[in-house]
Amino acid sequence: MKLKLYADRMSQPVRAVIIFCKKNGKDFEEIRVDIAKRQHLTPEYAEINPMKQLPAIVDGRFKLFESHAILVYLASSFPGVADHWYPADVFKRSKIHSVLDWHHSNLRCGPTTIVRNTVLAPVLGRPLNPEAAAEGEKFLSASLSKIESIWLKGNGHFLLGGNQPSIADLSLVCDIMQLELLGETERNRLLGPYKEVQQWIENTRNATNPHFDEVHKILMKAKEKLQNPRLKGANNEGGESDMKRTLHSRI
C-alpha cells in the first residue's frame, strides 16, 4: 500500500520529509492539508494526527506524526536508503538524535519567530512585533554559532563531520530556508557572518537536488509576492485572501 503523506509545503518540516522521500525514490501520495483553510483542525484530520499539526503519515495501518520521528521511521523502513541518512552505527545514530533533539527548542525558534513577527505579520493581519523579532534573531544567532562551533567543525561537508547528508542536515536546513521570505538583504544580514553555515546549506541543497529546489518553489513564490511592490499592491486590492492561503501555515 502506498505511503500517505499529509502535507502543506509552506511548512519547513513537511518540506524535509517530502525531499527525503523524493531523493530516496519512495513512492508516496501527497495529501494536501491546507492550514490556511484550517483543514488541520477538522475531526477527520484529528484521526490522523490528534495534535492537529503537519506533517503526518499513514503507512498501511501505521500512523505517525512529528517530522523527526517520521524521518527516522522512513530512513529505517525504506529498502535501499543509504546508510548516511540514518546510520546503523549506534554511536553515529545517537549523535544525529542529539542534533534533532536540540533543533526544536533552539534553531526552530529563530526563523519561525522572525518571519512571523516581520514580513508575515501584515499579511496575516497581525501587528509588527520588533521585540519578538529581536528575540528570534538572538535565538537564530546563538543557534548558528553553535552549529558552526560544534557540528560543522573539521573537513566534512555536513553536520557531525559527514561527507554526505543525514536526516538532521535536511531537517535543519529546511528550517533555515524559511528566512528566504525576508528577502535577500535581510537574509544576507542574518546569515552573512556564518560562512560555514551558508556553505553547508548549499551542500545540502546540491546533495538533494533537483528535489530540494522543486519542493521549495512554493517558498520562492511566496517570497516574490512579499518582496514585489506590484504584487503587494495587487494583494491590497483584493488578493489578500490568496496571499494568506499561500503563506499562512505552521511556520
Side-chain angles (χ1 to χ4, degrees), residues 62-80:
F62 181 64
K63 300 175 183 178
L64 187 64
F65 51 89
E66 291 297 327
S67 63
H68 292 168
I70 291 170
L71 287 168
V72 167
Y73 171 74
L74 297 178
S76 302
S77 63
F78 281 12

Side-chain angles (χ1 to χ4, degrees), residues 177-197:
M177 285 296 293
Q178 211 73 355
L179 296 174
E180 291 288 339
L181 292 174
L182 301 175
E184 296 301 318
T185 301
E186 274 298 285
R187 177 192 177 278
N188 292 340
R189 179 180 69 83
L190 294 169
L191 295 183
Y194 304 99
K195 304 303 182 185
E196 288 86 356
V197 165

